[in-house]
Amino acid sequence: MNAAGSAMDHDAADSPESLFIGGPIQEHPQRVARANPLTYITPERPIPPFLIIHGDADPLVPFNQSELLAAALASVGADYHFHRVVGGGHGGLDLESDAVRGLVDRFFDELLGQDRARRPGAGA
């Protein structure tokens, strides 16, 4: 991830990734593989639908991480939608826009097979 550009040192012993797996990521490749979602995207496994939304100006998680996930999903014929938020950072208003919220709503409406207006708690 560092090679793809990030404001964070993902290889550091105190990086979120290293803390998650319980040690420096460069010293624990088997733990890293178990924590990596790409490990589980294979033709033999059922893959649920994915909605990937990522800002292409994210200073912490490089945009290429979502590109890699989308490519892996495409390689096994998985059902996915990949939306690039142009100029979007790591969270914030760009990712909370009406357009992005609409994508999320449509994704779950299609996935759950429900009309939004019939869902509990939906406005009249």
Side-chain angles (χ1 to χ4, degrees):
M1 289 175 61
N2 285 351
S6 177
M8 176 188 301
D9 181 3
H10 294 277
D11 290 337
D14 64 348
S15 72
E17 299 85 355
S18 294
L19 294 173
F20 177 70
I21 66 154
I25 60 172
Q26 300 303 331
E27 296 175 17
H28 299 282
Q30 291 177 332
R31 291 182 191 175
V32 170
R34 284 196 318 257
N36 186 344
L38 300 184
T39 300
Y40 305 97
I41 300 174
T42 67
E44 298 82 31
R45 290 181 181 265
I47 307 293
F50 270 75
L51 174 61
I52 306 165
I53 301 172
H54 200 138
D56 63 7
D58 187 331
L60 299 178
V61 178
F63 183 75
N64 88 313
Q65 295 298 293
S66 287
E67 291 175 317
L68 293 170
L69 177 58
L73 292 167
S75 76
V76 298
D79 178 15
Y80 75 97
H81 177 77
F82 181 22
H83 179 75
R84 170 187 226 135
V85 178
V86 176
H90 191 79
L93 296 178
D94 295 325
L95 298 175
E96 297 175 16
S97 69
D98 288 340
V100 171
R101 284 190 183 138
L103 284 171
V104 173
D105 284 348
R106 284 189 298 281
F107 175 78
F108 282 108
D109 285 347
E110 291 173 14
L111 182 65
L112 300 174
Q114 295 181 358
D115 180 346
R116 183 173 169 80
R118 293 184 297 183
R119 276 189 273 173

